[in-house]
Amino acid sequence: MRRKEFSVEEQNEIDAFLSGMSYGYLATEGADGWPHLTPLNYAYWNGNIYFHGSRAGSKMKEIAQSDKVSFAVSKEYAIVPSYFTDPRQACPATAFFKSVHIRGVAEPVEDLDEKAGALSSLMEKLQPEGGYAPITAEDPEYRGELRGVSVVRITVSELTAKFKFGQNLNEERRTHIADSLKERGRPDDAETAELMRRFCPHHQ
């Protein structure tokens, strides 16, 4: 069910989520007319989505045929069982999540400095401990690699975000679920309870 109370418009929240996640799903139009969905690592840099791959790959051929793409990123934080709030009915079972859906125009990047910046952003996300030489177009050992690798920029045309953390629940029910999550103690449960507090419509 689409609920407007789950929609998020604060750009800082969206930027932080896209910067923190490591992979998303690219939707292109397949050669056979069917949608083609590809999971891939990405960088969110300067307000654009970047990814890399083989110049001969299917997604590159599909982008050459149609540059209109969709890109989605999501994270499920917690499954909320029905018995947290109802001892009998299954209906209250739900999940709390963040999701971002982007419609945009995909274009291969040719500028080596832009390629280096996008790939540096990706490496900072995937390998924050370092252990590699900085990626620059001036480095002769990277320059050939940068020329050879395919990097694609998705320029965002439309973005929608939904962060669902019990905003539609009354305070008593929301508090009970948050306390139950903290007591359960699974990975992300404590963070989910804190996000419920942050996104509570009455919490400022």
Side-chain angles (χ1 to χ4, degrees):
M1 182 180 296
R2 296 178 61 87
R3 290 183 180 271
K4 64 181 180 180
E5 61 263 33
F6 302 150
S7 297
V8 175
E9 297 179 356
E10 292 82 357
Q11 193 63 47
N12 288 342
E13 294 280 0
I14 295 167
D15 288 348
F17 177 61
L18 289 175
S19 297
M21 296 296 288
S22 63
Y23 73 94
Y25 295 89
L26 173 73
T28 51
E29 182 180 343
D32 57 2
W34 286 84
H36 181 198
L37 202 61
T38 306
L40 47 78
N41 293 118
Y42 74 94
Y44 180 63
W45 185 58
N46 290 344
N48 301 311
I49 299 290
Y50 290 87
F51 63 88
H52 74 288
S54 167
R55 290 183 183 273
S58 59
K59 60 181 177 291
M60 299 303 298
K61 295 176 182 177
E62 290 160 3
I63 289 169
Q65 292 296 316
S66 174
D67 60 5
K68 291 182 179 179
V69 301
S70 289
F71 191 75
V73 182
S74 65
K75 178 179 178 179
E76 185 177 74
Y77 282 78
I79 296 291
V80 179
S82 60
Y83 53 77
F84 273 9
T85 54
D86 192 307
R88 182 182 181 278
Q89 295 292 102
C91 303
T94 189
F96 290 162
F97 63 87
K98 292 182 181 181
S99 69
V100 172
H101 176 249
I102 290 167
R103 286 181 174 178
V105 176
E107 182 180 5
V109 175
E110 301 301 335
D111 181 81
L112 297 189
D113 287 318
E114 186 177 359
K115 279 188 176 184
L119 293 172
S120 293
S121 179
L122 182 62
M123 285 298 295
E124 288 167 10
K125 178 185 294 190
L126 299 180
Q127 196 171 310
E129 71 275 16
Y132 59 92
I135 303 171
T136 67
E138 289 72 34
D139 187 331
E141 294 191 33
Y142 276 128
R143 198 167 183 84
E145 299 287 345
L146 289 171
R147 286 197 180 102
V149 70
S150 176
V151 174
V152 175
R153 178 202 323 111
I154 301 176
T155 303
V156 178
S157 302
E158 179 185 334
L159 183 151
T160 56
K162 292 189 180 296
F163 293 3
K164 179 184 175 183
F165 291 97
Q167 297 96 314
N168 60 314
L169 304 175
N170 63 44
E171 185 174 358
E172 179 181 2
R173 193 168 189 174
R174 188 168 47 248
T175 299
H176 180 69
I177 290 175
D179 289 344
S180 298
L181 287 169
K182 286 187 273 190
E183 182 179 352
R184 184 174 70 176
R186 290 181 182 173
D188 294 329
D189 277 355
E191 183 181 1
T192 303
E194 173 58 23
L195 288 167
M196 290 179 70
R197 186 189 68 82
R198 281 185 53 205
F199 289 105
C200 168
H202 306 298
H203 174 74
Q204 300 294 335

